[in-house]
Amino acid sequence: MAYELQYYPGATSVAENRRKHMSGKVEKLREISDDDLTLVLGHRAPGSDYPSTHPPLAEMGEPECSIRELVEPTPGAKAGDRVRYVQFVDSMYNGPSVPYFRSYNAAINFRGVDPGTLSGRQVVEARERDMEEIAKFQMETEMTCPALASLRGATVHGHSLRLPEDGVMFDMLDRCRKEGDVIVMHKDQVGRPIDKKVNLGKPMSPEEAAKRTTIYRVDNVAFRDDAEVIEWVHRVFDQRTTYGFKPEN
Amino acid sequence: MSDTFSDANYVQLEIFPSRLLKPETAQNLLREIADLEGIIRLFVHGPRLPQTVPYGPATGLPVQHPGNTVIEVAGQAIELAVSVGSIRMEVVDVDVKEQVRGVCEKILTVPFEFREGHFIPTRQTVSDYARRGPNADPLMTGMTDPKGKLKNQPVCILKPDDME
């Protein structure tokens, strides 16, 4: 029988969601067009060519190298794209993803990525078209709720603050607003106004967010509720400590 | 440095809603509180809303955050530079405290914490001394915006008649 990756221990909904994010088997909830995505990322004008930092690999004449022969370059690397970033902030009030699981998702399911994990935000650097693929995947699926997570290239404050009355995570640069029952982004991820409003879709209801979140919270699913997770976290810490003291064992 | 304002048994309160308040809600709440007799001083507290983008490639562009607005309380226009997260105040006695609780229950549609404690300094600190000097009004002690400038008159006197 073929071995099936398990990704993460635990029997709670949070553990199950963490497995989904890591495996990439997440539900698609909304549609965001390529032009809209380019607009909110703010790295180039929608519809324009990808600027390149070197000629396409096929034209460059690469040196003979067994690793280069073995590893197929990503589309962005093949074309010589610039390295660009996408950065997400997720609310700790049942935001659907947490920084580590965005990073796991990127590192496990995509190639040529450099995820950076911080306490309240998560950044992925990659060749531009590869980065756009990840950004689109994470924004269109249940990994993102437009109200509880947002694209923030700079000025990221909001992850740990109480939600405003309308339920859209606090953003001092006011990039997203709730208009009717949808969330609209009218600035790009660093706060520059954009030509048209981008509809990011409906926000999740509090109940749905609680069901889809990957954050353990005492007012939803507590970390201590998951005996298997506790057991494995203890095991990892125990063995790491033992190994640190006695490398020969 | 020994001037104290709250020698009397004044009561300090904090209203801590579970959500950051919209300017309209904050205005309604502050108006109702300002109408009560026995409120000595209060300030609003919360994450600051910048006028211009402070970091990144868009540095310097205007933000125009809807929370950054002018509210009117007791006939005075007040520029709201923060998203209101909590309101801390000093009141005369526990009767006023219960009136404030009643106002919160009437206005706020979200759950809130309401507690009595020590939230505003009553003795002058070294920073207060450096800002306002030796003969400062003890009423102003602790009423400081850490990022504000005194020349911008950060403290509004809503009912000057009550001061006498």
Side-chain angles (χ1 to χ4, degrees):
Chain A
M1 199 175 80
Y3 175 71
E4 200 176 320
L5 292 174
Q6 296 178 36
Y7 295 112
Y8 196 82
T12 56
S13 64
V14 172
E16 179 57 37
N17 292 337
R18 289 183 170 205
R19 281 193 285 274
K20 278 193 204 168
H21 285 210
M22 290 174 85
S23 65
K25 291 175 185 155
V26 281
E27 193 183 335
K28 187 171 171 179
L29 298 180
R30 58 191 80 86
E31 196 82 46
I32 292 170
S33 73
D34 290 346
D35 280 356
D36 283 354
L37 181 74
T38 313
L39 258 182
V40 294
L41 288 172
H43 294 306
R44 66 188 171 94
S48 62
D49 287 344
Y50 289 98
S52 59
T53 190
H54 61 73
L57 289 181
E59 294 173 16
M60 279 178 64
E62 291 189 90
E64 201 170 299
C65 168
S66 55
I67 298 299
R68 286 174 197 243
E69 284 165 19
L70 201 64
V71 180
E72 170 82 7
T74 62
K78 246 185 216 171
D81 288 356
R82 306 172 300 177
V83 171
R84 284 294 176 266
Y85 72 92
V86 58
Q87 183 163 257
F88 287 92
V89 174
D90 294 276
S91 172
M92 57 172 250
Y93 285 89
N94 286 338
S97 201
V98 284
Y100 258 109
F101 287 86
R102 282 197 191 275
S103 283
Y104 288 141
N105 175 272
I108 294 171
N109 299 290
F110 297 90
R111 298 169 59 230
V113 294
D114 179 7
T117 318
L118 298 102
S119 55
R121 59 193 164 109
Q122 193 269 344
V123 60
V124 177
E125 285 182 22
R127 300 289 189 139
E128 196 161 353
R129 69 190 76 191
D130 304 338
M131 177 275 292
E132 285 182 3
E133 190 190 347
I134 300 165
K136 196 169 163 71
F137 176 84
Q138 296 199 352
M139 287 176 74
E140 286 187 337
T141 60
E142 60 176 308
M143 291 186 68
T144 299
C145 161
L148 299 173
S150 69
L151 278 183
R152 297 187 186 180
T155 322
V156 294
H157 197 37
H159 150 80
S160 61
L161 296 183
R162 280 166 287 162
L163 297 173
E165 279 185 80
D166 59 4
V168 183
M169 180 170 53
F170 173 82
D171 181 6
M172 68 160 100
L173 297 192
D174 183 38
R175 282 163 277 215
C176 288
R177 278 184 194 172
K178 192 172 184 185
E179 292 191 358
D181 58 350
V182 296
I183 305 293
V184 164
M185 199 160 175
H186 61 109
K187 291 182 183 176
D188 70 7
Q189 63 169 343
V190 293
R192 288 178 294 223
I194 50 180
D195 297 339
K196 68 166 197 161
K197 291 180 177 179
V198 172
N199 184 348
L200 298 179
K202 286 186 180 178
M204 291 179 186
S205 67
E207 296 75 30
E208 194 186 357
K211 203 178 77 183
R212 292 190 192 268
T213 186
T214 50
I215 298 176
Y216 287 107
R217 282 180 64 95
V218 285
D219 60 2
N220 184 26
V221 176
F223 181 61
R224 300 274 165 200
D225 289 349
D226 212 324
E228 197 187 354
V229 173
I230 296 283
E231 184 191 332
W232 277 92
V233 168
H234 284 177
R235 182 177 155 80
V236 168
F237 275 81
D238 192 51
Q239 296 206 326
R240 197 167 70 169
T241 309
T242 309
Y243 178 78
F245 280 125
K246 288 186 175 181
E248 71 273 17
N249 289 342
Chain B
M1 297 284 283
S2 60
D3 281 353
T4 59
F5 174 65
S6 295
D7 290 336
N9 293 325
Y10 292 150
V11 177
Q12 290 194 2
L13 308 173
E14 184 184 49
I15 305 163
F16 194 87
S18 60
R19 298 261 174 132
L20 302 174
L21 300 182
K22 285 190 286 196
E24 304 84 62
T25 317
Q27 175 174 267
N28 292 343
L29 185 61
L30 289 170
R31 274 183 181 174
E32 293 269 346
I33 291 173
D35 284 345
L36 298 176
E37 291 296 324
I39 308 289
I40 297 164
R41 51 192 186 150
L42 71 80
F43 67 87
V44 296
H45 180 256
R48 185 171 290 272
L49 300 169
Q51 298 281 349
T52 56
V53 178
Y55 315 108
T59 303
L61 289 183
V63 174
Q64 291 166 336
H65 196 290
N68 203 333
T69 184
V70 176
I71 59 171
E72 198 180 303
V73 180
Q76 286 206 34
I78 299 170
E79 194 180 339
L80 204 54
V82 297
S83 195
V84 179
S86 67
I87 298 175
R88 296 170 182 177
M89 65 181 77
E90 194 163 64
V91 300
V92 173
D93 54 31
V94 287
D95 289 344
V96 184
K97 173 186 163 187
E98 291 312 313
Q99 290 175 36
V100 174
R101 189 200 297 273
V103 166
C104 295
E105 282 165 359
K106 186 176 126 194
I107 303 284
L108 294 178
T109 53
V110 295
F112 62 91
E113 291 173 28
F114 186 85
R115 50 191 168 226
E116 187 180 328
H118 190 72
F119 304 108
I120 309 174
T122 50
R123 293 172 71 95
Q124 204 179 35
T125 63
V126 174
S127 306
D128 287 324
Y129 187 85
R131 277 178 165 245
R132 295 197 168 97
N135 300 316
D137 180 358
L139 186 65
M140 295 297 156
T141 303
M143 304 296 282
T144 307
D145 176 359
K147 290 191 177 173
K149 294 270 186 285
L150 284 179
K151 67 177 182 200
N152 297 336
Q153 298 183 322
V155 178
C156 294
I157 309 296
L158 294 181
K159 295 178 183 172
D161 301 341
D162 293 353
M163 303 280 292
E164 279 127 38

